[in-house]
Amino acid sequence: MGVSAMKLMPSEVARRLLRLAAGAAILISTLWATATAQSPRLASTPPMGWNSWNHFSEEVTESDVRATADAIVASGMRDAGYIYVNIDDSWEGQRDAQGNIHPNGKFPDMKALADYVHLKGLKFGIYSSPGPKTCAGYEGSYGHEEQDANTYAQWGVDYLKYDLCSYESIMKLWDPSQDPQKASAMMQQAYEKMHQALVNTHRPIVYSLCQYGIDSVWKWGPKVGGDLWRTTDDISDTYRSMALIGFSQAGLEKYAGPGHWNDPDMLEVGNGGMKPDEYRTQMSLWAMLAAPLLAGNDLSKMDDTTKSILLNRDVIAVDQDRLGIQGTRVGPPQIWMKPLSGGAKAVAIFNYVLDDQANPITVQLDEFGFSGPVHARDLWAHKDLGTLHGSYTVIVPKGGVVMLRLWE
Ligand code: GLA
């Protein structure tokens, strides 16, 4: 090899290496773009849909779920974003000799039901427990996690609510001293175990943790694969229960964001136990909280008021804002603010004072970070309020809410 060739070689090698590196970079970025295009992040906004428990409880049947899928489309709810049709507890039957779970007689063919739901452009959700029994005493997934995850994937499940229930007794059994740290570690392992089983199916399945907020689940929920986690005990269809749960969420906002949501439990709108103003409060507060919007009523029998609450697109847009920032309380007693994309803010003024008066409430616009005039829209009156200066005073019905969108 001549002297000149020896001198040229390092730069030639360098050029080839550069070309190789550039080629590899293009390949990697193409693969990445393809992968991300094919699998958009799960739950990038709070999940929306329906869950059977609040209305049907253990009575839910396959025909109820089909009727729900029909109604969610016919009512316009699907097109407003309510996509998940989720069966809660009481679908579970027995395991066969190989340990495979089968639905009970109320759900003769789970795969056919999932297909029906999918054909309507919806997604299909199901429920189980890390314990041997679910909260209503049906078969849980304890010791069958992989097998159950595979069964769900075969059926076409898109969402799993995984409810602690009898796993609490397993925790006590293994650690009679009930050391809280050991108990929490066991619980986290149980949730992680099902997470791995779901990942191994290679089917995108939203993973909803339900353990009532024990041991500040919002701090470790993402670590065990949770896309959302219940922060409290069960809601019931009363103003007291709803308001206690909803207003107690202040302070949890830093744990929420795209792909990981605090879940203050499902909607009760339309179930009959609250007044329309109180249901407007739940819908507004849940939107301010960037909470999952899972309707819990009988969608095949909705009156116009219920529809107008669940289908308020302005309020839904606050919940689904792409920034995914959970709102919080900015002033007493219950003035809440949620930053939205484009610099706008949602503001909710709740009348939480339980007297018989509709109260005038005044808010100062600088409380929401505005120094000059702001444009305002009333999201329940469906009307633009023009330009506000300095403050805004409004009469808010008892147990009700005035919800605004403000922007400069
Ligand atoms: C628990 C959950 C509820 C519901 C029931 C079903 O109580 O918190 O949301 O799933 O179990 O048994």
Side-chain angles (χ1 to χ4, degrees):
M1 190 182 291
V3 175
S4 57
M6 277 178 75
K7 271 191 194 150
L8 278 176
M9 210 181 106
S11 62
E12 178 59 21
V13 169
R15 261 199 301 276
R16 282 183 185 198
L17 279 176
L18 268 175
R19 270 203 299 274
L20 261 176
I26 289 168
L27 184 67
I28 287 168
S29 70
T30 311
L31 285 175
W32 174 249
T34 315
T36 46
Q38 280 170 356
S39 54
R41 178 180 204 162
L42 275 184
S44 61
T45 58
M48 290 178 69
W50 172 87
N51 173 293
S52 58
W53 189 253
N54 282 356
H55 178 80
F56 291 95
S57 185
E58 287 179 60
E59 306 299 311
V60 66
T61 64
E62 165 168 324
S63 68
D64 296 325
V65 177
R66 283 178 184 249
T68 299
D70 296 347
I72 219 167
V73 176
S75 63
M77 285 178 70
R78 178 196 62 189
D79 294 343
Y82 294 88
I83 290 296
Y84 289 95
V85 172
N86 295 349
I87 307 173
D88 206 279
D89 205 353
S90 84
W91 64 266
E92 308 87 339
Q94 302 303 315
R95 293 189 183 278
D96 61 24
Q98 287 72 44
N100 296 311
I101 184 83
H102 293 272
N104 58 38
K106 296 189 296 152
F107 291 90
D109 188 340
M110 215 45 123
K111 170 96 178 74
L113 181 56
D115 289 347
Y116 184 83
V117 167
H118 288 148
L119 270 174
K120 303 220 153 224
L122 299 163
K123 291 185 182 287
F124 184 64
I126 213 165
Y127 165 102
S128 191
S129 168
K133 294 283 172 209
T134 66
C135 293
Y138 295 81
E139 188 71 17
S141 292
Y142 184 62
H144 295 274
E145 293 82 358
E146 287 273 340
Q147 213 169 8
D148 285 359
N150 289 334
T151 303
Y152 304 154
Q154 278 162 22
W155 286 342
V157 165
D158 307 294
Y159 186 115
L160 173 68
K161 172 174 168 184
Y162 206 45
D163 194 350
L164 191 65
C165 308
S166 67
Y167 193 77
E168 277 187 287
S169 48
I170 302 284
M171 284 150 65
K172 283 181 195 148
L173 207 65
W174 286 98
D175 179 29
S177 69
Q178 288 178 50
D179 172 333
Q181 271 181 337
K182 280 193 200 155
S184 183
M186 277 187 75
M187 183 170 54
Q188 293 182 38
Q189 274 160 20
Y191 277 97
E192 172 59 22
K193 192 170 195 175
M194 182 50 99
H195 171 233
Q196 276 314 322
L198 293 175
V199 169
N200 292 343
T201 68
H202 302 292
R203 184 177 173 86
I205 298 179
V206 171
Y207 190 31
S208 157
L209 316 187
C210 176
Q211 45 77 279
Y212 340 113
I214 297 172
D215 201 34
S216 307
V217 60
W218 41 88
K219 294 192 177 152
W220 50 266
K223 207 175 65 193
V224 299
D227 297 303
L228 63 157
W229 43 81
R230 275 270 297 278
T231 53
T232 70
D233 260 327
D234 293 16
I235 197 165
S236 60
D237 187 18
T238 65
Y239 180 71
R240 187 183 153 75
S241 162
M242 180 276 293
L244 277 176
I245 287 179
F247 291 128
S248 72
Q249 302 300 296
L252 294 186
E253 56 275 6
K254 66 170 181 261
Y255 300 103
H260 49 102
W261 308 103
N262 291 312
D263 172 8
D265 210 354
M266 299 165 296
L267 297 173
E268 291 284 7
V269 176
N271 276 334
M274 287 184 245
K275 300 186 177 110
D277 275 324
E278 297 170 342
Y279 282 139
R280 272 178 216 112
T281 285
Q282 185 180 24
M283 187 74 187
S284 307
L285 184 49
W286 264 233
M288 295 300 285
L289 293 169
L293 296 179
L294 294 174
N297 56 318
D298 182 352
L299 301 187
S300 66
K301 297 192 184 76
M302 283 193 286
D303 60 19
D304 288 346
T305 307
T306 302
K307 281 189 200 160
S308 73
I309 297 172
L310 290 173
L311 281 161
N312 184 327
R313 291 214 179 213
D314 283 337
V315 173
I316 292 172
V318 170
D319 181 76
Q320 295 290 300
D321 185 84
R322 66 182 167 76
L323 291 185
I325 300 176
Q326 177 172 327
T328 196
R329 179 166 42 221
V330 291
Q334 295 296 349
I335 314 291
W336 287 62
M337 198 260 294
K338 179 184 198 282
L340 304 174
S341 46
K345 307 262 168 79
V347 166
I349 309 164
F350 297 96
N351 182 351
Y352 185 48
V353 185
L354 294 174
D355 55 25
D356 280 331
Q357 299 297 316
N359 283 327
I361 299 179
T362 298
V363 290
Q364 304 299 329
L365 300 180
D366 60 5
E367 278 187 89
F368 313 123
F370 293 111
S371 48
V374 296
H375 303 286
R377 179 172 171 79
D378 184 321
L379 304 188
W380 285 110
H382 302 288
K383 70 171 196 230
D384 288 327
L385 302 175
T387 308
L388 307 181
H389 299 268
S391 66
Y392 183 62
T393 300
V394 67
I395 305 237
V396 187
K398 179 193 170 196
V401 59
V402 167
M403 192 164 168
L404 306 173
R405 182 185 174 91
L406 303 178
W407 69 100
E408 263 169 355

